[in-house]
Amino acid sequence: MPTQTTSKQKIVTQLFATMAKHVKNEPIESRPVLEQLIYAILRENATRESADQAFEALRGRFFDWNEVRVTSTLEIIETFNGALSDAEARAQRIVDLLQEIFETTYSFDLEPLLEVLQKKGMKQAAKQLMRFQAANDYAAAWVMQQSLGGHVIPLDSTALRVLKRMGMIEELADLEAIRASIENQIPKAKGSQFVDLISVLADLHCLEQAPRCSACPLRTACPTGQEAKAHAAPTMKKPR
Ligand code: SF4
């Protein structure tokens, strides 16, 4: 049965109340568009802490983005130092993105693109960003939220899994409709923190294979948590 609006609001309230202590209470660092795209590749299906760690390691180890472009993916993976899952795919996407940008602009400056994007509506801006082969829906949404200040909430497969379990979304088919629904429920000022909270919740409790519902602070509001509790409850033996 679809979760009612009031129940969804209860879940959102509990999410902010119980998980906020696990995330950084400071705005995300402002970065040029190119770096936001690279950061989005690191941040997708990862916590902010892990993405920050990998991004800082990249910046610290390599002289500039051109050096990253010509570096082997193996060396980039080593730089992540185990901070991220799917390290090989992420490293390859970063190299591909840098190569594509270099071939199309002969530089690593995407700030002129930002001016173009600012003049377009959010939908057109997203389409333009997704012309980069290595950019996907998440990366485009990330740039729109962080660089264009739009009320756009980047949703990766981890967030979709958690939101589905919590009954915040019903179907996984239409990503645009899902995002519109979530953006309706989360105020713009809290969009960035919401993304942080969901990824930490997924990391600590709402694991892909076996969610730890019994220890999850959302278990009293989350329908999946409630279901798990009902199944775990011992059945009373009838007196003989
Ligand atoms: S109660 Fe279980 S399913 Fe619901 S958010 Fe927590 S871990 Fe995930």
Side-chain angles (χ1 to χ4, degrees):
M1 191 195 286
T3 305
Q4 300 300 315
T5 307
T6 47
S7 306
K8 289 180 182 175
Q9 283 164 355
K10 193 175 163 193
I11 291 171
V12 170
T13 305
Q14 276 204 8
L15 175 72
F16 279 89
T18 60
M19 297 305 293
K21 59 178 180 256
H22 297 288
V23 300
K24 278 185 190 171
N25 186 20
E26 54 194 62
I28 289 170
E29 188 186 327
S30 165
R31 300 182 173 99
V33 178
L34 169 69
E35 295 193 1
Q36 290 292 12
L37 279 169
I38 292 170
Y39 185 83
I41 291 173
L42 303 173
R43 182 71 172 81
E44 185 175 354
N45 294 318
T47 60
R48 178 174 170 184
E49 192 182 358
S50 300
D52 282 355
Q53 203 178 315
F55 190 79
E56 288 313 317
L58 272 183
R59 281 210 294 215
R61 176 145 172 187
F62 300 103
F63 176 69
D64 59 15
W65 294 116
N66 191 50
E67 194 182 349
V68 178
R69 177 181 71 95
V70 297
T71 295
S72 73
T73 50
L74 201 62
E75 199 174 335
I76 296 173
I77 294 165
E78 278 171 17
T79 309
F80 295 158
N81 198 23
L84 297 167
S85 61
D86 300 322
E88 191 176 348
R90 291 179 203 269
Q92 191 61 57
R93 277 182 72 198
I94 289 171
V95 170
D96 291 348
L97 176 72
L98 291 169
Q99 184 63 28
E100 192 179 355
I101 290 171
F102 183 71
E103 283 172 7
T104 49
T105 67
Y106 301 105
S107 76
F108 294 102
D109 179 14
L110 287 185
E111 294 318 282
L113 174 65
L114 183 60
E115 287 172 29
V116 175
L117 295 176
Q118 277 161 343
K119 289 182 190 145
K120 299 182 180 227
M122 286 293 160
K123 265 194 173 177
Q124 288 306 315
K127 275 189 187 165
Q128 176 120 7
L129 283 164
M130 283 171 65
R131 283 189 200 152
F132 292 117
Q133 298 288 315
N136 58 8
D137 183 274
Y138 182 89
W142 182 271
V143 172
M144 288 191 289
Q145 185 193 50
Q146 298 296 326
S147 299
L148 299 178
H151 185 28
V152 182
I153 296 187
L155 296 173
D156 52 22
S157 60
T158 300
L160 294 175
R161 176 183 84 230
V162 176
L163 293 170
K164 179 94 168 53
R165 285 176 179 166
M166 294 197 302
M168 297 280 295
I169 56 177
E170 277 89 45
E171 293 301 327
L172 296 183
D174 183 350
L175 187 54
E176 208 174 313
I178 288 171
R179 196 165 42 235
S181 156
I182 295 299
E183 286 160 8
N184 265 336
Q185 296 167 61
I186 308 299
K188 181 181 171 189
K190 292 190 165 186
S192 208
Q193 192 187 8
F194 177 78
V195 173
D196 284 349
L197 294 175
I198 290 288
S199 54
V200 167
L201 177 64
D203 190 53
L204 293 180
H205 302 291
C206 208
L207 310 183
E208 184 170 9
Q209 298 300 335
R212 298 173 182 151
C213 298
S214 60
C216 176
L218 292 186
R219 66 189 177 279
T220 54
C222 170
T224 307
Q226 286 293 299
E227 211 178 294
K229 190 180 170 195
H231 282 124
T235 46
M236 296 282 285
K237 279 186 182 172
K238 282 185 185 170
R240 291 179 182 230

